[in-house]
Amino acid sequence: GGVTIYNFNKEDENVKFPVDLAVDMERVMGVWLGQLRSLLGVRPVTTALPLPSLGIRGWEVDYQLRYRSQENLVETRSTLQSLSSLLSQISNIVITEDIARRVETALESFSRSIVDLNAGEIVAGHSASQTSLKQSEAAFFDPSLLALLYFPDDQKYAIYVPYFLPVGL
């Protein structure tokens, strides 16, 4: 959000408030549009040619989609690497079909996103990168993996030894 202070010239000293003002909305919307562009990360264009500030241009949308796709792919790669590291550290972990399917979908979407972006199909590539990120995070934060993460082997021995030790003796 933003604040625009709109000053008016009071010609008469005996003005009673509230005063009806004719607000120049073109100026107000220009400020709002500048703030929106800043929020979206669209940088102002500096050229020798005068460019009207009529919103976000098509190439700026393409830039944003490419940039967000790159962020999604980097985050997907990091999440899948973290999942791989986690799975290699825990020896008794069970991978369910759901987790395996999500990882496969994430990898397929990752590859499809790269192919689409290289082919210039920016919207399809961005959509695939979003799918890839969602699936990789869903696999990483699956409740069955989190339960095993916080229940290591030494705790299992501490719980089960008092039960099975008398039977063994």
Side-chain angles (χ1 to χ4, degrees), residues 70-99:
Q70 179 186 10
E71 283 182 339
N72 290 343
L73 294 176
V74 167
E75 187 66 28
T76 298
R77 183 177 179 201
S78 173
T79 302
L80 290 176
Q81 285 177 338
S82 297
L83 179 62
S84 174
S85 173
L86 175 71
L87 297 178
S88 65
Q89 290 177 359
I90 300 175
S91 59
N92 62 341
I93 199 160
V94 176
I95 305 299
T96 62
E97 286 293 322
D98 187 43
I99 296 172

Side-chain angles (χ1 to χ4, degrees), residues 59-128:
W59 65 269
E60 291 173 325
V61 172
D62 291 348
Y63 170 78
Q64 286 297 314
L65 288 175
R66 284 183 184 273
Y67 184 77
R68 301 295 179 214
S69 298
Q70 179 186 10
E71 283 182 339
N72 290 343
L73 294 176
V74 167
E75 187 66 28
T76 298
R77 183 177 179 201
S78 173
T79 302
L80 290 176
Q81 285 177 338
S82 297
L83 179 62
S84 174
S85 173
L86 175 71
L87 297 178
S88 65
Q89 290 177 359
I90 300 175
S91 59
N92 62 341
I93 199 160
V94 176
I95 305 299
T96 62
E97 286 293 322
D98 187 43
I99 296 172
R101 195 174 327 105
R102 287 181 178 173
V103 170
E104 288 175 2
T105 304
L107 290 172
E108 289 169 2
S109 297
F110 188 92
S111 299
R112 188 175 61 239
S113 176
I114 292 174
V115 168
D116 288 344
L117 289 171
N118 287 335
E121 298 173 7
I122 299 170
V123 175
H126 179 68
S127 177

